[in-house]
Amino acid sequence: MELQFPVELGKELEREVSPLVSAMGMGKGIGPRGSEIPSPELAHLIVSHLCFRHNHPSLWKFLHSALSSRLLSPIHVLALLTSRVIPQRRAQPEAYRLYLELLSRYALSFDPSMPDTSKLKILESVDAELQLSQSYGAPVKDLGHAFVLFFFNIVTCLIDSSLDDWGLQITSFDKPGGAVASMDPQHMDIDSYGSYQIERNEHHQQMRQKNSFMAIEVLERLTESTKAIVLLRLVYLNMPEKFDSLIRRLQFLEADKLIFSNLKSANQLLERLSANVKKVPSFKYQLKNQQLIRMLVNVRSNNPVSCCNFGSGSSSCWVPFDIFMENAMDGKQLLIKSAIVILTEKIYTLKVYNQASWQETFLALWLSALRLVQRERDPPEGPIPHLEARLCGLLSIVPLAIANVLEDEAAKLHPSVQESGYNGMDGKGYGERNLALISSLQLLGNFSGLLCPPASITTAANHAAAKAASFISISKNGKDGLGSGTPTDCFLDNGGNMRHLIVEACISRNLIDTSAYFWPGYLSSSVVSLSDITPSQKSPWSTFMEGAPLTDSLADLLFTTPASSLAEIERLYHIALNGSADERPIAAKILCGASLSRGWNIQEHVVNFVVKLLSPLVPPGHIGPRSHLIDHMRMLSAILFGASSVDTVHILSLHGVIPEVAASLMPLCETFGSLTPTSGNKSKTGEEPSIYMVFSLAFLFLLRLWKFYRPPIEQFPAGGMGPELTLEYLLLLRNSRIVNQNACAQDVKDGSMEQLRFASDKPVYIDYYPKLRAWYCQNGSCIASTLPGLCSGNPVHQVANKILSMIYLKMTKSVASSCNSSTPSGNSSTPSSSNVCGSPVNGGQDACQTPMLSAWEVLEAIPFVLEAILTACDHGTLSSRDLITGLRDLIDFLPASLAVITSYLSAEITRGLWKPVPMNGTDWPSPAATLLSVESEMKELLASVGVHVPIWSSGASPLMLPLPVAAFVSLTITFKLTKNLEYIHAVVGPALENCASACTWPTIIGSLWAQKVRRWHNFIVVSCSRSVFGQSKEAVVQILRSCFTSYLGSLYNSNSLSTKQNGIDGLLGNIIATPPGVCPFIAPGIFYLRSCRLMPDIRHVNDMIVELVTEYARESAARWASSDTPRVQSSQASLSLAAVRAKEVATLGASLLCVSGGFQLVQELYRETIPTWFLSLKEEKPGKVSAVARIIEGYAMAYMLVLSGSFVWGVGDKSRLHSFSRRGRIIGIHMNFLARVLEGNILLCCDPLTWKAYVCCLVSLVVSCAPAWIQEVKPETLQTLASGLRGWHECELALSLLERGGISTIGFVAELIDMIN
């Protein structure tokens, strides 16, 4: 129904009837007509006559009364007036003044409880009048959303109006748009008759001047309100670019307030207004109703600096750094994601959760990395990554992670950095994070116990100190006019420490500059003294850069001396690629030498060039079917051999290039595996690489990147989390990086990957390599099922017969000599093609008897060869000695056959089809000599870490092993232990350990190896001891409890809490190696990190960690609170101590959980473990549990959940972590569970106090530490959670949750805004 302006109303106003009485009469008149209240039609009618046909003061009074009596909606009326009055403020100064009065009273009035029909009409009208959807680039969803935008629009419009009235240019700012910003009369819905006749009398001019100041005064009063700050904060959080435009307006006013005289009288108003608006980003809700929750969320684990004190051994709040770094050193698990990327996200996460400064964060990171190195000052014996990998972590990975953090800051301060790349401090000066890095490096000097360098790098540390001393000397001489020199022409015999190496690593990456050399205490007085400085020999790299040829002597020096600059590595790379035939393999060998293992300052570049050399580009003029890779065969052999060492592969893994390495190796395997060698191609001397050897190096290297021998998943107990790493997954990772690079969409730098330029910019799939794919499928079939039968005419059958004939012929000729398997050999630069097991080489005769087959043909036939000889041995027609001799000859013929042997025997072990054979020393080797010793030391070692479970013992029974196991272990102990056979041991070692851990024979296998390599005795005992965790859940429970006890102290011994024996030193120990002849000891944390991947039921680990966290949290709270009353009786200080302990427990739990199962286990925690815990009845010890204990229990669970999620997903709206894309779905599932419980749809079995503390702490932690998560949750879920929190009188917490929910939840906050006060 269309309303008309009532004539009676005008007459009443002229007779000066009370506006309130008139408004009441109007309301009675509207009701019978069927109109809703507040009435949108009436508002339109009144405002249209008010602007400016009946611009009578009484009508303004009536409007005020109608608003106060809720006859009209304030937001609607003010929106209508805003679009009409502000553009005509100069022509109608009286109307503008009255409009400002209404605005000061009703701008923050909002009543969402109006009828839906009125609400919809008002929403559409406000949006149309102010053109909000057009101005803010998104549709207005509800009236609350419109209210937020309306208020922000009012603030910007009034500021722009005052700026315009004062004659200031505002063209550079974002305009609110629409009719408000337009001064064109044709867009106004008014009667223009006489309205634009500007009266230039003195009274109107004074009113105009006062109005511009009054507008600022109104804004200053409005923005003092908490409601206004909340509304502006919603814009700040969800439309930051709009809020930035408001800040720029205020900055413009502040900058010009001293220039324009007409602004001087408004200076104080402007300052107060600016101060009010600047409060918005830092505004925090005061949790008045629950001081306890606020205290729990804001608790800090000791002072972050003091908790890094090495002497105290605590560092409790930073233990995730130590656990991640130590876990990354596990040689059995290669990282497919760069450690730089993971560590960068951990830096951000721990800084937020520990509420630490950047200085504290960087210092904690350096100390964790130093502890990592110090644990292996004396490297233990064994085929595992050693000190080189740990130094890579300290001097390469950590500086590159810090570089990412500094780069992020530089990109925010200087957007051009995002495109051009980070160049350190060049031209930019020091940022906040740069200064924090410098301060942390200066503080490192206080930790002398961690700075003593291991013996193997003392020379490098001394050289770093000498470089600083020389620089200082040259600087002083330059100032005194005594000449100049170079800062590298001196050397020190002592005085260098780990800090000197760290500083050099930072300077080389431009994180700091050479002013670090002048820090107080950086160099001791003896170091600076010229008497300690002696001239050093000229660097071989200087000789190389001067153009000297790569002679043998120079090559040896370059191989053992790390390069110091990128230019040196680039020149070496170009020689390896384009040099002479003799120079290329030498350059490739040098590149994989000391420059890769100890060239920490440029290690990421060396890694880059190594990967690029694995896939040389096709030369421009190359044509024909012959592969260009054949021309690089010698170079490829050298680079493959050099990169195959255990430490080198692990360094490549830490830099995250494993997917690229896999993609580079595949064409090598396809090409060289397809070539048929000629008799002249087989090397007689081992100096020249053969086709078989190059293929074997590439093939075995490729297979090391995933567990190719893994038995079928059905052979494992239930509970495995997620699929195993496969070749397809590696290629998927590599291809995703290619896509990101080609699309230029990688906004976040990826550590060393930022430097990597791939040889091919196209995706790679296994289908591109048909020979490799055929073997890959055959290997999977061989593992999954027994071999099919072959007819005699089959080509594979014919090849198998040729191979059998060859190895049987060799058996008959070299039975005697084949027993001698430990003949030492020299360390050559490349492996020989026939010296893996020490078999003799008879070149003249073997050349005629060896079949000329391609490697792929051989590998395809080997499973049938193995089945034939294993069956012959099982039936007694082939002796065990001849069996092992045949296997060794097969590996000598084609080393790559070791992969098929390993895969086949591993699969046959799981089938249980073969009868056991006696390990009696006659038919098969006997472990009796060391068996009892190994078993005894295993029990002693397990007992030392709190694990007391029965282990398999030989007893008096005869020692038996299934035939495949006996053959496998007997074959492996015939391999020589030389440096140039690491590529062999790196394949069989993990497979053999996998076989041992999945059965009851680890002591037999370990004892046989302990007899062969006595110096590996301790390593073997530890490896055998780990097998117990794959067979006993109780052992898993006990080692987990030992980890918590060693870190936190015993629950039942109050004197053990917070002692020097606990903390990181108790968990991970000070040193890993044990002296020979002493029973090995390993800290519980290290033991767990090396064993957790053997545990078959990872979900059980999840449950145990949650149980331990809640148990420790309850017990620690019980020490600080009385349990004889349900009320919280402890003081805030005592409760804070309990909260600190709970936070430490939760931090340890989250760290162990993430290293145990990664993303899959965290996903399980969110989706199953925590909900199940709340739904399940729990057995508790007799006695009443205090209210404080219940609250602390809920807090610990919430902290562990959010922290573990932050570790795998990151805390920001963008993350470098590959699981980031799945974050929203998993968090949404858990938040939906909380919402359903709060709605009453799910009944819990836990204590209500625990549940309430869990929900409140969870929401508080997400809001304060990971607010980006909230926008990934459905708005209706957030609304339900907020309603539940309101029911607990946690209104401020509900608001803080909703305000982070994005555009969709802005309206909900506006509807709750009246609850703030």
Side-chain angles (χ1 to χ4, degrees):
M1 181 179 295
E2 189 173 329
L3 295 177
Q4 295 182 355
F5 190 77
V7 179
E8 295 80 2
L9 176 60
K11 294 179 178 180
E12 289 179 358
L13 295 176
E14 290 177 357
R15 294 196 306 268
E16 297 185 354
V17 176
S18 168
L20 181 59
V21 174
S22 301
M24 293 174 63
M26 179 68 72
K28 292 178 181 179
I30 291 176
R33 299 186 185 189
S35 299
E36 301 283 356
I37 296 179
S39 172
E41 294 84 359
L42 181 61
H44 271 287
L45 185 64
I46 293 177
V47 172
S48 64
H49 284 76
L50 191 62
C51 301
F52 295 93
R53 184 182 305 164
H54 300 286
N55 190 12
H56 192 278
S58 299
L59 190 56
W60 284 92
K61 291 181 181 179
F62 169 78
L63 187 61
H64 168 60
S65 300
L67 290 172
S68 62
S69 61
R70 297 190 177 184
L71 182 62
L72 302 177
S73 168
I75 180 178
H76 189 202
V77 170
L78 292 175
L80 294 171
L81 289 173
T82 298
S83 63
R84 291 163 171 79
V85 174
I86 290 183
Q88 297 301 317
R89 63 187 180 279
R90 295 176 186 171
Q92 301 289 339
E94 297 94 342
Y96 187 45
R97 170 66 63 87
L98 294 172
Y99 163 76
L100 291 175
E101 290 288 352
L102 286 178
L103 200 63
S104 65
R105 296 184 181 215
Y106 296 106
L108 293 175
S109 298
F110 179 68
D111 182 15
S113 60
M114 62 180 71
D116 291 339
T117 54
S118 294
K119 189 180 295 187
L120 179 60
K121 292 178 182 178
I122 292 173
L123 171 63
E124 293 175 348
S125 178
V126 171
D127 188 16
E129 290 293 330
L130 301 180
Q131 297 186 14
L132 298 178
S133 297
Q134 177 182 343
S135 301
Y136 293 94
V140 180
K141 295 182 175 296
D142 49 54
L143 195 58
H145 186 192
F147 178 53
V148 175
L149 299 182
F150 154 78
F151 182 77
F152 185 78
N153 197 81
I154 291 294
V155 174
T156 55
C157 282
L158 292 187
I159 292 177
D160 288 348
S161 299
S162 296
L163 284 169
D164 187 43
D165 292 342
W166 293 333
L168 302 179
Q169 296 294 325
I170 59 174
T171 55
S172 62
F173 303 130
D174 297 331
K175 300 297 184 61
V180 176
S182 175
M183 297 294 291
D184 188 352
Q186 66 183 351
H187 295 297
M188 301 300 298
D189 182 19
I190 61 174
D191 181 4
S192 61
Y193 180 78
S195 298
Y196 292 97
Q197 301 299 322
I198 302 177
E199 300 179 13
R200 300 191 177 277
N201 55 53
E202 184 178 352
H203 173 70
H204 274 198
Q205 185 62 28
Q206 291 177 353
M207 183 172 288
R208 293 187 192 100
Q209 292 178 357
K210 291 180 180 179
N211 284 349
S212 61
F213 295 121
M214 184 178 178
I216 300 299
E217 185 179 0
V218 168
L219 286 182
E220 186 271 331
R221 289 201 305 267
L222 287 174
T223 53
E224 280 183 341
S225 167
T226 302
K227 292 182 180 180
I229 291 179
V230 171
L231 294 176
L232 292 176
R233 183 170 169 81
L234 289 170
V235 177
Y236 164 73
L237 292 173
N238 299 286
M239 293 173 282
E241 68 287 348
K242 297 295 182 182
F243 188 82
D244 288 343
S245 70
L246 174 60
I247 293 296
R248 290 197 299 273
R249 285 173 167 87
L250 295 174
Q251 291 171 344
F252 180 76
L253 280 171
E254 290 178 346
D256 289 339
K257 67 184 180 183
L258 298 178
I259 300 175
F260 296 92
S261 59
N262 58 351
L263 289 182
K264 292 181 179 178
S265 58
N267 280 351
Q268 292 183 349
L269 284 175
L270 290 172
E271 289 176 358
R272 291 199 296 269
L273 173 61
S274 180
N276 292 342
V277 175
K278 290 178 180 178
K279 291 178 184 176
V280 170
S282 59
F283 173 78
K284 292 184 179 180
Y285 294 98
Q286 297 298 318
L287 305 181
K288 302 174 184 176
N289 298 319
Q290 291 293 336
Q291 297 288 342
L292 177 60
I293 300 301
R294 181 176 58 177
M295 185 276 295
L296 290 175
V297 174
N298 293 328
V299 70
R300 300 182 76 187
S301 305
N302 304 328
N303 183 285
V305 172
S306 65
C307 82
C308 290
N309 188 339
F310 173 67
S312 70
S314 59
S315 302
S316 56
C317 49
W318 305 104
V319 69
F321 278 151
D322 293 79
I323 290 178
F324 165 72
M325 292 183 188
E326 192 60 59
N327 185 60
M329 294 300 111
D330 186 0
K332 296 185 295 297
Q333 189 75 15
L334 297 179
L335 295 177
I336 56 174
K337 187 70 173 177
S338 170
I340 304 164
V341 172
I342 302 172
L343 192 57
T344 301
E345 291 297 330
K346 270 194 166 37
I347 291 172
Y348 283 113
T349 299
L350 290 179
K351 179 187 181 297
V352 170
Y353 282 89
N354 291 330
Q355 302 175 44
S357 67
W358 281 112
Q359 180 208 66
E360 295 164 345
T361 305
F362 289 149
L363 179 59
L365 180 62
W366 289 121
L367 294 177
S368 295
L370 283 168
R371 283 191 290 266
L372 178 75
V373 172
Q374 294 298 332
R375 284 189 203 103
E376 209 172 89
R377 288 182 56 85
D378 302 313
E381 291 284 355
I384 54 177
H386 289 305
L387 191 59
E388 286 83 358
R390 292 174 182 264
L391 289 169
C392 167
L394 171 66
L395 300 175
S396 185
I397 302 301
V398 170
L400 289 170
I402 292 176
N404 278 344
V405 174
L406 301 186
E407 181 180 357
D408 291 343
E409 181 186 42
K412 293 178 182 178
L413 298 176
H414 312 283
S416 60
V417 173
Q418 190 73 18
E419 298 179 2
S420 61
Y422 183 61
N423 293 315
M425 302 167 297
D426 293 349
K428 305 295 185 187
Y430 289 102
E432 175 195 359
R433 299 177 190 179
N434 278 102
L435 294 173
L437 173 61
I438 291 171
S439 179
S440 69
L441 292 172
Q442 291 172 336
L443 288 174
L444 273 185
N446 299 329
F447 300 88
S448 57
L450 289 172
L451 297 180
C452 182
S456 61
I457 61 168
T458 301
T459 301
N462 289 339
H463 180 75
K467 182 178 178 181
S470 176
F471 185 90
I472 293 173
S473 176
I474 292 171
S475 298
K476 291 180 178 179
N477 292 338
K479 291 180 180 180
D480 297 336
L482 299 178
S484 61
T486 61
T488 58
D489 57 358
C490 64
F491 188 74
L492 288 175
D493 292 331
N494 53 59
N497 59 35
M498 297 301 296
R499 185 164 70 142
H500 297 123
L501 293 173
I502 291 172
V503 167
E504 287 301 321
C506 292
I507 291 175
S508 67
R509 294 175 174 89
N510 216 14
L511 306 183
I512 60 176
D513 58 29
T514 52
S515 62
Y517 296 153
F518 297 91
W519 291 344
Y522 183 70
L523 295 177
S524 63
S525 57
S526 61
V527 172
V528 179
S529 172
L530 293 178
S531 61
D532 291 340
I533 300 177
T534 58
S536 63
Q537 295 181 352
K538 186 176 182 180
S539 168
W541 287 99
S542 300
T543 305
F544 170 69
M545 293 301 288
E546 292 170 359
L550 286 176
T551 62
D552 290 343
S553 58
L554 179 60
D556 290 341
L557 289 173
L558 294 176
F559 182 79
T560 56
T561 306
S564 59
S565 70
L566 178 59
E568 295 166 351
I569 293 299
E570 287 178 337
R571 183 167 188 266
L572 193 66
Y573 166 75
H574 289 297
I575 292 176
L577 204 59
N578 304 310
S580 66
D582 292 331
E583 285 180 328
R584 282 185 287 174
I586 296 174
K589 173 187 173 183
I590 295 171
L591 193 63
C592 294
S595 296
L596 179 57
S597 61
R598 290 187 285 117
W600 307 295
N601 298 342
I602 55 171
Q603 194 171 60
E604 63 272 26
H605 302 292
V606 182
V607 167
N608 172 27
F609 286 123
V610 168
V611 176
K612 290 174 72 174
L613 276 183
L614 287 173
S615 53
L617 294 173
V618 180
H622 181 80
I623 57 175
R626 186 176 184 271
S627 173
H628 70 287
L629 296 174
I630 300 174
D631 298 329
H632 294 284
M633 189 166 71
R634 292 182 61 194
M635 181 275 289
L636 289 171
S637 177
I639 200 77
L640 287 168
F641 176 69
S644 295
S645 70
V646 172
D647 282 298
T648 301
V649 172
H650 206 72
I651 288 171
L652 296 176
S653 165
L654 292 174
H655 282 272
V657 297
I658 292 301
E660 285 68 39
V661 170
S664 299
L665 293 173
M666 291 173 66
L668 302 183
C669 296
E670 186 75 13
T671 298
F672 291 102
S674 302
L675 297 177
T676 301
T678 62
S679 58
N681 186 266
K682 282 286 283 186
S683 173
K684 308 285 192 304
T685 64
E687 294 299 327
E688 295 293 327
S690 67
I691 290 174
Y692 278 177
M693 181 50 63
V694 176
F695 169 79
S696 296
L697 287 169
F699 186 67
L700 295 178
F701 197 168
L702 179 63
L703 297 192
R704 289 169 61 182
L705 306 184
W706 85 95
K707 295 180 175 62
F708 69 96
Y709 51 82
R710 180 70 74 179
I713 192 64
E714 61 267 19
Q715 300 292 344
F716 282 96
M721 297 297 297
E724 287 290 337
L725 180 64
T726 62
L727 182 57
E728 290 95 335
Y729 185 54
L730 287 173
L731 293 180
L732 180 64
L733 290 175
R734 185 262 182 191
N735 292 341
S736 66
R737 294 176 183 175
I738 291 291
V739 171
N740 289 336
Q741 285 192 352
N742 290 346
C744 299
Q746 194 170 13
D747 297 328
V748 184
K749 301 299 184 294
D750 194 4
S752 63
M753 294 308 304
E754 181 65 14
Q755 300 291 331
L756 194 58
R757 295 294 179 265
F758 303 106
S760 171
D761 59 353
K762 298 179 181 179
V764 173
Y765 303 98
I766 194 172
D767 291 338
Y768 292 175
Y769 308 101
K771 300 284 189 180
L772 175 61
R773 183 183 182 279
W775 178 87
Y776 187 69
C777 295
Q778 184 196 31
N779 181 67
S781 300
C782 176
I783 291 175
S785 62
T786 56
L787 292 176
L790 289 178
C791 61
S792 58
N794 190 292
V796 178
H797 183 275
Q798 296 175 0
V799 173
N801 281 336
K802 291 181 181 179
I803 297 173
L804 282 171
S805 300
M806 177 193 70
I807 60 176
Y808 274 118
L809 182 63
K810 288 189 175 183
M811 285 179 197
T812 59
K813 291 186 177 181
S814 58
V815 171
S817 59
S818 65
C819 299
N820 183 14
S821 61
S822 58
T823 304
S825 67
N827 290 329
S828 60
S829 63
T830 57
S832 169
S833 60
S834 58
N835 64 352
V836 173
C837 305
S839 300
V841 178
N842 188 352
Q845 195 172 14
D846 287 348
C848 299
Q849 299 164 348
T850 301
M852 294 296 110
L853 302 167
S854 70
W856 291 123
E857 291 178 296
V858 176
L859 294 183
E860 185 181 13
I862 283 179
F864 302 98
V865 174
L866 295 175
E867 184 178 44
I869 60 176
L870 212 61
T871 303
C873 184
D874 188 40
H875 293 166
T877 57
L878 183 68
S879 69
S880 59
R881 186 182 300 273
D882 288 341
L883 171 64
I884 303 305
T885 300
L887 294 177
R888 290 188 328 184
D889 290 338
L890 185 56
I891 295 171
D892 285 340
F893 167 63
L894 177 63
S897 61
L898 175 66
V900 182
I901 294 172
T902 299
S903 183
Y904 177 84
L905 294 179
S906 298
E908 292 302 313
I909 290 169
T910 66
R911 296 188 179 109
L913 301 177
W914 302 90
K915 65 181 181 182
V917 295
M919 309 300 291
N920 52 19
T922 303
D923 299 313
W924 298 91
S926 171
T930 55
L931 184 60
L932 294 179
S933 171
V934 169
E935 289 180 357
S936 174
E937 292 183 18
M938 282 177 59
K939 294 177 182 178
E940 189 175 344
L941 173 60
L942 289 170
S944 68
V945 293
V947 177
H948 303 277
V949 294
I951 64 172
W952 182 87
S953 176
S954 59
S957 60
L959 302 178
M960 307 282 283
L961 286 179
L963 178 58
V965 181
F968 196 19
V969 68
S970 300
L971 172 66
T972 59
I973 62 176
T974 65
F975 296 151
K976 296 180 296 183
L977 294 177
T978 57
K979 181 69 176 177
N980 62 338
L981 288 183
E982 276 197 23
Y983 75 102
I984 293 288
H985 293 289
V987 172
V988 299
L992 187 63
E993 188 172 356
N994 179 74
C995 294
S997 63
C999 62
T1000 57
W1001 321 300
T1003 53
I1004 296 180
I1005 297 174
S1007 298
L1008 289 171
W1009 264 94
Q1011 290 175 187
K1012 174 181 175 61
V1013 194
R1014 298 189 182 277
R1015 67 179 186 275
W1016 286 5
H1017 182 87
N1018 288 350
F1019 165 78
I1020 291 169
V1021 170
V1022 173
S1023 297
C1024 291
S1025 301
R1026 290 200 300 263
S1027 63
V1028 70
F1029 301 110
Q1031 304 166 24
S1032 170
K1033 286 188 176 181
E1034 181 59 29
V1036 175
V1037 173
Q1038 292 179 12
I1039 189 62
L1040 273 171
R1041 186 171 292 278
S1042 291
C1043 288
F1044 278 78
T1045 302
S1046 63
Y1047 181 69
L1048 302 161
S1050 173
L1051 281 175
Y1052 312 105
N1053 180 8
S1054 59
N1055 296 327
S1056 69
L1057 292 177
S1058 301
T1059 65
K1060 291 185 179 180
Q1061 287 73 37
N1062 303 133
I1064 291 177
D1065 289 347
L1067 178 67
L1068 301 176
N1070 294 317
I1071 192 167
I1072 293 178
T1074 305
V1078 179
C1079 180
F1081 171 78
I1082 187 168
I1086 299 288
F1087 213 159
Y1088 180 81
L1089 294 180
R1090 299 296 181 265
S1091 308
C1092 59
R1093 294 178 185 86
L1094 301 175
M1095 300 170 185
D1097 189 356
I1098 201 67
R1099 289 186 177 88
H1100 178 64
V1101 174
N1102 221 359
D1103 296 334
M1104 278 308 308
I1105 290 177
V1106 172
E1107 288 297 332
L1108 286 168
V1109 167
T1110 55
E1111 180 183 355
Y1112 264 84
R1114 282 195 308 269
E1115 295 298 328
S1116 62
R1119 304 190 181 199
W1120 312 111
S1122 172
S1123 60
D1124 54 3
T1125 173
R1127 297 180 58 190
V1128 177
Q1129 295 184 347
S1130 61
S1131 66
Q1132 183 170 345
S1134 298
L1135 189 61
S1136 178
L1137 289 174
V1140 167
R1141 298 295 295 169
K1143 181 176 179 179
E1144 293 172 357
V1145 172
T1147 301
L1148 176 62
S1151 301
L1152 293 179
L1153 189 144
C1154 289
V1155 299
S1156 301
F1159 164 75
Q1160 286 83 8
L1161 204 55
V1162 174
Q1163 174 179 286
E1164 187 76 10
L1165 182 73
Y1166 275 73
R1167 299 180 63 173
E1168 298 291 340
T1169 309
I1170 294 293
T1172 301
W1173 190 93
F1174 281 111
L1175 294 171
S1176 304
L1177 289 172
K1178 284 164 280 295
E1179 297 181 3
E1180 295 182 349
K1181 297 178 181 178
K1184 197 171 185 180
V1185 180
S1186 68
V1188 171
R1190 294 298 186 190
I1191 292 172
I1192 295 296
E1193 179 182 53
Y1195 164 70
M1197 293 180 66
Y1199 193 90
M1200 181 183 68
L1201 182 91
V1202 180
L1203 183 61
S1204 60
S1206 300
F1207 284 156
V1208 299
W1209 296 315
V1211 294
D1213 54 354
K1214 295 180 181 179
S1215 174
R1216 297 169 169 85
L1217 302 174
H1218 67 279
S1219 57
F1220 166 71
S1221 60
R1222 290 170 281 184
R1223 181 175 74 182
R1225 179 172 58 87
I1226 304 303
I1227 294 171
I1229 289 173
H1230 191 74
M1231 291 295 191
N1232 189 55
F1233 166 74
L1234 302 184
R1236 291 176 64 195
V1237 175
L1238 292 175
E1239 284 180 323
N1241 296 329
I1242 299 177
L1243 298 179
L1244 303 178
C1245 296
C1246 66
D1247 189 277
L1249 271 178
T1250 300
W1251 170 249
K1252 182 177 180 180
Y1254 173 78
V1255 174
C1256 292
C1257 290
L1258 174 64
V1259 173
S1260 298
L1261 286 167
V1262 171
V1263 166
S1264 59
C1265 299
W1269 294 9
I1270 300 174
Q1271 292 194 20
E1272 299 169 5
V1273 181
K1274 294 179 180 178
E1276 52 269 26
T1277 301
L1278 295 177
Q1279 190 175 17
T1280 303
L1281 284 173
S1283 299
L1285 292 170
R1286 287 171 56 196
W1288 287 339
H1289 305 291
E1290 290 285 356
C1291 299
E1292 289 81 4
L1293 188 56
L1295 286 171
S1296 64
L1297 173 68
L1298 291 174
E1299 72 173 7
R1300 295 283 191 172
I1303 300 296
S1304 301
T1305 59
I1306 284 180
F1308 300 153
V1309 180
E1311 293 176 4
L1312 299 177
I1313 199 168
D1314 285 331
M1315 298 196 303
I1316 294 176
N1317 294 334

